[in-house]
Amino acid sequence: MRLARIAHPDGVAFASIESDGGDDASAQVLEIAEHPFGQPNFTGRRWPLADVRLLAPILPTKVIAVGRNYAKHAEEFGNEVPADPMIFLKPSTSVIGPNAAIKLPAASSRVDFEGELAVVIGRPVKNITAEQAPAAILGYTVANDVSARDLQASDGQWGRAKGFDTFCPVGPWIETAIDPSDLRITSEIDGTVKQDARTSAMVHKVADIVAFVSSVMTLLPGDMILTGTPEGVGRIEDGQTVSITIEGIGTLSNPVQSA
């Protein structure tokens, strides 16, 4: 199932997106009553996908991200691969949806894109094992861990560099039925491919990451875990569009604007 959050003619709602043969042009959006966790209840209302606006598919209480989880990405910045997942937090206020603008802050002269697979948690969990992790996952979406690279270097910690408003685009929807172990992930700037890798190259795999994070903090429904970016990250500038595609999920595109 593809779960989305939409703005429709009467307001905002969660929805399921259904299409024949994967053709988004003919896709229908089925409104979900209340929330998408557990067995969704449908209201009976529907619209063509073209008649609604896709928002960030979930509003998490927190976003946990993993650094240096692809060996080649660690190498391109001269870093070692950590023995345990290196986690940090991005504020919920950094989350935006498809086609919303990434705003370049005046405080930074170098902002980078980072295409990533994101895990969306489906139920409250704490201290689970890797074997228990799949049952705690609602699904997967596409994320961009936007980073002020110069501030990341100068501050010595990543809170400011990763935490600006609009620095966590996610979408276009959550795919609930997919194996995350070997998916192609590509990032493009104005149609030019900059990243092209597979999730099988992750150092720490999805289930291990979820279990590790749950040993540190309670994970709540809707929380997101960004699983790291492969090599090829680079600068984004005013007027460009960054598009990240993950096989079996979809494409997340966002324009870039000066704040």
Side-chain angles (χ1 to χ4, degrees), residues 19 24 26 32 39-40 43 56 67 78-80 82 90 93 107 129 168 179 186 221 226 230:
S19 59
D24 290 342
S26 63
I32 294 173
Q39 183 62 41
T43 67
N79 296 311
E80 297 293 328
K90 293 173 77 79
T93 47
T129 65
C168 189
D179 180 350
T186 59
L226 278 53

Side-chain angles (χ1 to χ4, degrees), residues 226-251:
L226 278 53
T227 58
T229 194
E231 72 277 10
V233 301
R235 185 173 183 172
I236 51 176
E237 300 180 338
D238 180 56
Q240 293 181 325
T241 297
V242 54
S243 298
I244 301 164
T245 301
I246 298 182
E247 178 185 7
I249 301 177
T251 298

Side-chain angles (χ1 to χ4, degrees), residues 65-77 86 88 112-118 143-147 149 152 158 162 185-187 194-199 201-204 209 226-234 244 246:
V66 181
R68 303 174 188 171
N69 197 31
Y70 289 78
K72 289 185 178 180
H73 172 60
E75 290 172 6
E76 70 181 345
F77 284 94
M86 176 187 290
F88 58 94
D112 285 8
F113 68 90
E114 296 188 8
E116 308 199 10
L117 174 72
N144 186 352
D145 177 22
V146 183
S147 306
R149 195 68 69 198
Q152 185 178 5
W158 300 358
K162 303 278 192 174
I185 177 170
T186 59
S187 299
K194 300 294 185 178
Q195 290 181 295
D196 191 347
R198 303 194 71 85
T199 57
M202 286 184 188
V203 176
H204 304 287
I209 292 170
L226 278 53
T227 58
T229 194
E231 72 277 10
V233 301
I244 301 164
I246 298 182

